[in-house]
Amino acid sequence: MKLFTKLTLFITLSKLAIVILFVWLLPVLVNRIAYQYNDYYLKEQKRKVLNVVGKSGIDAYLQGEPSYGSYTMLKEEYISLEPAGKTVPVDTIATLRRVVEGDTLTYRVLSHTFSHHNRNYILEVGKTTATIDEYNQPLQRMALYVLIALMVSTIVIDLVYTRLLLRPLATIIRNRLLNARFPFRETSPPIKTSTTDFRYLDDSLTELMGKVRDAFEKEREFTSNASHELMTPISILQSKTENLMIEEELPEAIQKKILDMMKTLNRLKKIVHSLLLISRIENNQFPRSDSFNIKELVQEVTDELEHRLQEQQLAFHLQLSGKVVLTGLNHDLIFQLVYNLLNNAIRYNKPGGQVIIRENYTPGKPYQLIIGDTGIGIPAHEIGTIFQRFKKVEKNENEGYGLGLSIVHTIATYHDIAIEVSSQPGAGTEFTLSFPLPAPASGYKRFI
């Protein structure tokens, strides 16, 4: 999962969790706010009454009566004022029941005791709880709408900011990792970013790629130089051993030793040629402009290996349509690639086994050439290393030089050909070559 996707999920889920928590607490919060506002309203009413008493005296309410009581038409609010005698002064706000004209109603009541002309009075200001609750639903609805609007806006802002913040990281991944091709010959300019961490990551990757490129260039230069230098003494030794074989007076034992030396020199010469081939491919010394019928190329390879198929008594099955023409490749290198795979299919097969070459082609998709055999197979733990140089199959470690599949991998990489290997020990191995489709602007078609 991408980092931006994870951040998007985290932002969305965290905001959703806040909304759920707020909705769960909303009735309690709104109810508390409504009661606090009502308590403030009752205190304001008390202050007004005390102001009137302070200015006009208690008779402004009592008017000669022992007590005073007043309420609204719907009995939603009331005010009462009566002597308190020697009652202990109180100043409270509580939810109480009161009887008003025979109706028992629940009020939020403020009780206040004050003294006027050396007499104590109790003032009560009340408001029905039903009136207070009327505001709960509208307040909850309004608060919910405001919360949703804030959450949506903050999510959008967070996502936009996150995308802008992570844009340099996406550019680093695209330029330094996805689009970078080994051995990193082209160096793209530094990524523009104000984030120190991203700049450090970009610089580190650029430096690492430079070190890998330099190490690869040194290895490739060494391989090329060493191979060239080895060819001269090998050719001299081969010439001298051939001259020795011409001598008629040599004992048979000496001739046998010289013959073994020639076999060793031939083996060394093939290894050097293989290393030179790999070096030339990695140095882009082969053009990629040939067009050829893939079935005809495979037929050329099988004609060269026909004698080996007969020696092993192998049944050969060529299942190609002959209608596919590949372009933009190097004929000789693809020939070598198919030759090495087919040669291995013969070498590691069982007497009386089979070699099958077939294709898988759907227009608009990469063309696949599949080379399979019914041989000894490859252990699962070795499949990941078979393309390494000088790597041999355990059961046949005395055969080959361990460079055949390395050459195959080098040629495939040079042509952007994907290789898939599936094998089952004792049942056989299958190599699938997927030839890439050309770019739309390349001016040619890969398949005709």
Side-chain angles (χ1 to χ4, degrees), residues 388-400:
Q388 296 178 4
R389 296 179 188 178
F390 304 106
K391 179 68 178 179
K392 301 179 184 179
V393 176
E394 290 179 353
K395 294 183 180 180
N396 290 271
E397 57 183 8
N398 294 325
E399 296 186 27

Side-chain angles (χ1 to χ4, degrees), residues 45 56 60 92 116 127 131 184 199 201 209 218 231 251 269 280 287 293 301 311 324 359 395 416 419 438 440-441:
Q45 292 294 92
S56 304
T92 61
H116 184 74
K127 190 174 185 179
T131 305
F184 316 128
R199 188 182 299 112
L201 176 63
M209 292 166 67
K218 291 179 180 178
M231 286 304 297
K269 193 173 183 179
R280 289 183 61 197
N293 185 292
V301 176
E311 290 175 359
V324 178
E359 65 184 356
K395 294 183 180 180
D416 295 326
I419 304 179

Side-chain angles (χ1 to χ4, degrees), residues 46 50 90-92 110-114 121-125:
K46 179 196 75 171
L50 294 179
V90 294
D91 196 350
T92 61
L110 181 149
S111 300
H112 177 69
T113 301
F114 66 96
Y121 293 90
I122 294 179
L123 171 65
E124 284 191 358
V125 181

Side-chain angles (χ1 to χ4, degrees), residues 123-338:
L123 171 65
E124 284 191 358
V125 181
K127 190 174 185 179
T128 57
T129 55
T131 305
I132 301 173
D133 294 337
E134 287 179 0
Y135 297 101
N136 284 9
Q137 291 297 329
L139 285 174
Q140 291 182 30
R141 195 177 301 111
M142 182 178 298
L144 187 60
Y145 291 158
V146 172
L147 177 66
I148 293 175
L150 289 175
M151 287 299 171
V152 171
S153 60
T154 54
I155 287 175
V156 173
I157 293 173
D158 288 346
L159 293 180
V160 172
Y161 178 73
T162 302
R163 182 175 290 276
L164 292 175
L165 183 65
L166 296 180
R167 182 175 295 174
L169 179 60
T171 305
I172 291 172
I173 294 174
R174 183 174 59 254
N175 293 350
R176 301 287 183 253
L177 301 178
L178 298 181
N179 295 338
R181 293 187 58 189
F182 186 79
F184 316 128
R185 292 186 177 86
E186 297 180 0
T187 303
S188 57
I191 305 300
K192 295 181 179 179
T193 176
S194 59
T195 305
T196 306
D197 295 336
F198 291 160
R199 188 182 299 112
Y200 177 76
L201 176 63
D202 181 52
D203 294 341
S204 299
L205 286 176
T206 302
E207 182 181 358
L208 180 61
M209 292 166 67
K211 290 180 179 179
V212 172
R213 181 180 60 249
D214 293 342
F216 177 77
E217 292 294 339
K218 291 179 180 178
E219 179 191 358
R220 187 169 58 181
E221 183 179 356
F222 171 78
T223 302
S224 179
N225 293 340
S227 300
H228 279 291
E229 293 298 327
L230 283 172
M231 286 304 297
T232 301
I234 289 174
S235 299
I236 294 174
L237 287 173
Q238 190 175 25
S239 177
K240 288 184 177 181
T241 52
E242 288 176 353
N243 291 334
L244 285 174
M245 288 294 295
I246 300 176
E247 297 289 337
E248 298 180 355
E249 299 179 356
L250 286 177
E252 184 177 350
I254 300 297
Q255 289 183 351
K256 185 177 180 181
K257 290 182 179 180
I258 294 175
L259 185 60
D260 291 339
M261 289 174 59
M262 291 183 65
K263 289 181 179 180
T264 302
L265 285 173
N266 285 331
R267 181 174 179 233
L268 183 58
K269 193 173 183 179
K270 289 181 179 179
I271 292 175
V272 173
H273 274 301
S274 297
L275 291 175
L276 278 173
L277 176 61
I278 292 174
S279 178
R280 289 183 61 197
I281 296 172
E282 291 175 344
N283 279 288
N284 298 326
Q285 295 182 10
F286 290 89
R288 286 173 289 188
S289 56
D290 297 336
S291 299
F292 50 85
N293 185 292
I294 186 62
K295 183 176 181 179
E296 294 178 0
L297 182 140
V298 173
Q299 192 64 58
E300 293 175 13
V301 176
T302 55
D303 289 344
E304 254 190 61
L305 295 172
E306 180 69 27
H307 65 285
R308 297 204 56 208
L309 288 168
Q310 295 176 359
E311 290 175 359
Q312 291 284 94
Q313 298 178 353
L314 300 177
F316 180 71
H317 304 279
L318 183 61
Q319 302 171 359
L320 301 181
S321 63
K323 298 179 181 179
V324 178
V325 174
L326 303 183
T327 65
L329 305 173
N330 184 283
H331 177 276
D332 294 336
L333 291 182
I334 300 301
F335 179 94
Q336 185 68 48
L337 183 151
V338 176

